[in-house]
Amino acid sequence: MSTPSYLIRRVLQAVAVIVIVTIVVFGLLHALPGGPARGILGPQATAQQIARFNHEQGLDQPLPVQYLHYLNQLLHGDLGTSYTLNAPVSRLIGERLPKTLVLTVLSMVIGLLLAIPLGMWQAVRRNRPVDYVITTLSFIAYSTPVYFLGLILILVFSQVLPWFPSQAPQGDSLAQVFSDPQALVLPVAAGAASMVAVFSRYMRAATLENLSEDYVRTARAGGSRSRAILRRHVFRNSLTPVIAMLGYYLPVLFGGALVVEQLFNYPGMGLLFWSAAQASDYPVLLGCVLVISAATVVGTLLADVVQRIIDPRVKAGRA
């Protein structure tokens, strides 16, 4: 299959998944106790207020008509209104999402910068004491809940060793977030720890697999040095499964951001979601779910496209 055809097929699949997500969110909205009107207006709303709201919002029409109206609202960027903050959900998410992306991207980049060379280093030193030690530490980091790891970081590096503040940067703008980079260290470290643990294992396994391939033996027989083989051949081929898994790991990153933001009081979308859950603010909750689901689908699509570009074997296998 040619690259343009593959891209068109993957984009159509991504659009179909997003449509399914909107159907699920629409169903959850109507599955709220007392319906959407009760969830939005609150438990103190009278029957007359609920009836008037249903008529104004078109909630007394057939479900297919309601879904098309809901889809039209989404296409125009309307995710509803928060009844606790009395503000459009799209505006609230638009203000918080960039901060969550900063936290997530920094955690991802730092995690990969540590995990990729660490995994290759373990593969080269396979079954040596240092490999066993790093493997053990990786399993411990992977199995440790994010909130517990964050508490340990706060205890050690904010209380025992007062190197970093225990609270993340505050402020409504990205400039205010970046104005205190020292306060970003602990939240980013908490988010990056699990990435290092997971992706170093993927990189180790991929490197070991490539080291056993015929092209490596041929390069060694031709007199190529081990470092050159690792840098020119093994490194690029070993990145393919890492990139493929990166798109699927996005939900984990956003889920970890929810805990990290609440723990460090970081004013991102995760903290917004947490506050909305505490107040049963269903429009905000479902809006966040929709945005995170769409971001996951887009991330998976980008990972598949990049994987196809960098690895010719994927093209041959799917042709």
Side-chain angles (χ1 to χ4, degrees):
M1 181 182 294
S2 63
T3 299
S5 299
Y6 172 77
L7 292 177
I8 293 173
R9 182 170 64 87
R10 286 294 293 115
V11 169
L12 291 177
Q13 289 176 350
V15 171
V17 172
I18 291 177
V19 171
I20 294 174
V21 170
T22 63
I23 295 174
V24 172
V25 172
F26 176 78
L28 290 174
L29 184 63
H30 283 73
L32 296 176
R38 178 67 67 183
I40 294 174
L41 296 178
Q44 305 300 325
T46 63
Q48 291 79 7
Q49 290 174 326
I50 291 177
R52 184 170 64 252
F53 179 87
N54 287 336
H55 180 72
E56 291 174 352
Q57 300 297 323
L59 296 176
D60 52 356
Q61 298 179 2
L63 285 179
V65 177
Q66 292 185 44
Y67 174 72
L68 292 177
H69 178 66
Y70 172 72
L71 201 58
N72 181 64
Q73 287 181 315
L74 293 182
L75 292 176
H76 287 83
D78 184 3
L79 299 176
T81 302
S82 168
Y83 65 83
T84 58
L85 300 175
N86 195 27
V89 175
S90 56
R91 194 188 77 190
L92 294 173
I93 293 178
E95 293 172 350
R96 303 294 188 94
L97 181 58
K99 301 168 191 174
T100 296
L101 289 177
V102 167
L103 179 63
T104 303
V105 170
L106 283 177
S107 300
M108 179 180 66
V109 170
I110 292 176
L112 290 177
L113 288 177
L114 293 175
I116 290 174
L118 185 62
M120 293 190 69
W121 191 60
Q122 282 187 262
V124 174
R125 291 160 177 77
R126 180 186 182 185
N127 296 332
R128 296 183 183 179
V130 65
D131 181 30
Y132 292 129
V133 171
I134 296 176
T135 298
T136 302
L137 294 176
S138 297
F139 282 131
I140 293 175
Y142 178 72
S143 59
T144 302
V146 177
Y147 70 88
F148 185 69
L149 178 61
L151 289 174
I152 293 177
L153 291 176
I154 292 174
L155 178 63
V156 175
F157 296 104
S158 182
Q159 304 297 325
V160 179
L161 302 173
W163 294 348
F164 306 104
S166 60
Q167 181 171 267
Q170 302 298 301
D172 296 329
S173 66
L174 285 178
Q176 290 174 305
V177 172
F178 284 114
S179 64
D180 189 7
Q182 194 176 23
L184 277 172
V185 172
L186 294 186
V188 170
S194 62
M195 280 212 66
V196 175
V198 172
F199 283 90
S200 65
R201 302 299 300 164
Y202 282 123
M203 194 65 188
R204 178 184 182 275
T207 303
L208 287 175
E209 180 180 355
N210 280 279
L211 285 174
S212 64
E213 294 289 339
D214 292 336
Y215 73 86
V216 173
R217 288 192 288 269
T218 302
R220 286 174 175 169
S224 298
R225 302 175 66 177
S226 297
R227 289 187 177 181
I229 295 173
L230 286 172
R231 184 176 63 254
R232 296 175 184 175
H233 306 291
V234 176
F235 173 70
R236 178 176 177 177
N237 292 332
S238 299
L239 278 181
T240 303
V242 174
I243 293 175
M245 285 304 302
L246 190 58
Y248 299 104
Y249 201 74
L250 277 177
V252 180
L253 286 175
F254 277 107
L258 167 65
V259 179
V260 170
E261 290 181 13
Q262 192 277 333
L263 183 62
F264 291 95
N265 195 30
Y266 183 81
M269 197 171 70
L271 187 59
L272 175 67
F273 185 91
W274 179 272
S275 302
Q278 298 290 90
S280 299
D281 195 342
Y282 299 111
V284 174
L285 292 175
L286 296 179
C288 291
V289 169
L290 186 62
V291 170
I292 292 174
S293 300
T296 302
V297 173
V298 173
T300 304
L301 172 63
L302 292 177
D304 287 346
V305 172
V306 172
Q307 181 186 12
R308 184 179 175 87
I309 291 174
I310 69 172
D311 191 353
R313 294 174 298 177
V314 177
K315 298 180 183 179
R318 296 182 181 179

